[in-house]
Every structure is written in C-alpha cells, then in structure tokens.
Amino acid sequence: MAAQALINDLTNDRRLNVDAQNNMDIPKDPFNAAWFKPGTIPGKVGNAVMDGHLDWFGVKEAIFYHLGELGPGDRVYVRDDKGVERAFVVTRQQVCTWNNCPLQEIFGSAKSARLNLITCHGNYNRAQQNYDRRLVIFTEAVQ
C-alpha cells in the first residue's frame, strides 16, 4: 500500500515570507507546515513550496519527521482553510546540502501544478543551529 500524508489547513498564519537573508523563512510551529507566500498557492499551476520541521527543541518528531518515507507514487493531500482538499503524487525525492539545493526546480516556474515539500535532513550543527542537508519531496497534482 502506498504511503499517504495529509497537510491540514493552509491558513494565513501558516504562510512564509522571506527572512533577513532573503531566504524562505521557517515555520514558527513544529506541528504545522507552512507554504511560501510569494510563490504559487498549492493546487495552482506552478511550483508551490511548503516547509515543515523535522524536529524542534524538546520535540523529537515534528510535522515532517516522516517525510523521507514518501517515495514515487505516494500521495500527499493538502487541505485549505475552506476544507478543499487537493491530491498530489510524489514524483521523486532529493537530498541536497542546505546551501546548494536546486532552487529553480523547487521555486521556479512550472507548466503544471506542483507541490514541493522541504524539511531538514542530515546532521545538526549546534554552533550554526542548522542541519547540513535538506530533503525535498517533489510532487505533481493528481488530475
């Protein structure tokens, strides 16, 4: 049986802007994913991007802790604040160094509705307060 993931309730307080370094900001809550507001809305044509934490101080398993278990063919469902649910199928996953991910593939234009999910991965560097890698799950909308 294929794995499934549900990301619930895309409300205004779960939208991300950019940080002081002009990078996508991070969610303020370990239990909710957030979508990149300057980008595409999930379900619309283009690359929508959602970020969620792997873990959090004092929280071993945050919302995207099991994200790496998703593989090609698995489904991701996103429900908006009106209760409308959209389905996406995983096309691939990629691990990249935190400062060298394929930004054009993740955030650039696309001719179909896509949803790219990002979380931390790899080893945590306490001095930098950052993981050394990112896990990206690429999906396309189910027609």
Side-chain angles (χ1 to χ4, degrees), residues 21 30 34 40 57 64 69 71 79 88 92 124 136 138:
Q21 290 78 37
T40 302
F57 182 76
F64 280 176
E69 296 173 17
R79 184 176 301 137
F88 298 84
R92 68 187 173 100
Y124 185 73
V136 184
F138 294 91

Side-chain angles (χ1 to χ4, degrees), residues 24 36 38-41 44-50 92 101-116 118 136 138-140:
M24 182 173 69
F36 189 52
T40 302
I41 297 170
K44 302 291 184 186
V45 172
N47 279 314
V49 180
M50 295 187 76
R92 68 187 173 100
C101 288
L103 299 180
Q104 190 60 34
E105 288 180 64
I106 297 169
F107 296 97
S109 63
K111 294 181 181 179
S112 60
R114 297 180 179 171
L115 174 63
N116 302 322
I118 302 174
V136 184
F138 294 91
T139 76
E140 292 188 359

Side-chain angles (χ1 to χ4, degrees), residues 63-134:
I63 190 166
F64 280 176
Y65 185 83
H66 295 282
L67 195 65
E69 296 173 17
L70 293 175
D74 291 337
R75 298 269 173 126
V76 175
Y77 298 90
V78 176
R79 184 176 301 137
D80 68 19
D81 57 348
K82 294 179 179 63
V84 176
E85 197 169 280
R86 292 171 181 86
F88 298 84
V89 63
V90 175
T91 57
R92 68 187 173 100
Q93 70 166 248
Q94 180 175 348
V95 174
C96 48
T97 56
W98 75 271
N99 59 353
N100 194 26
C101 288
L103 299 180
Q104 190 60 34
E105 288 180 64
I106 297 169
F107 296 97
S109 63
K111 294 181 181 179
S112 60
R114 297 180 179 171
L115 174 63
N116 302 322
L117 308 173
I118 302 174
T119 195
C120 292
H121 191 76
N123 298 307
Y124 185 73
N125 181 321
R126 288 190 189 280
Q128 295 178 353
Q129 296 186 352
N130 191 16
Y131 277 87
D132 63 346
R133 300 190 179 278
R134 297 294 180 266

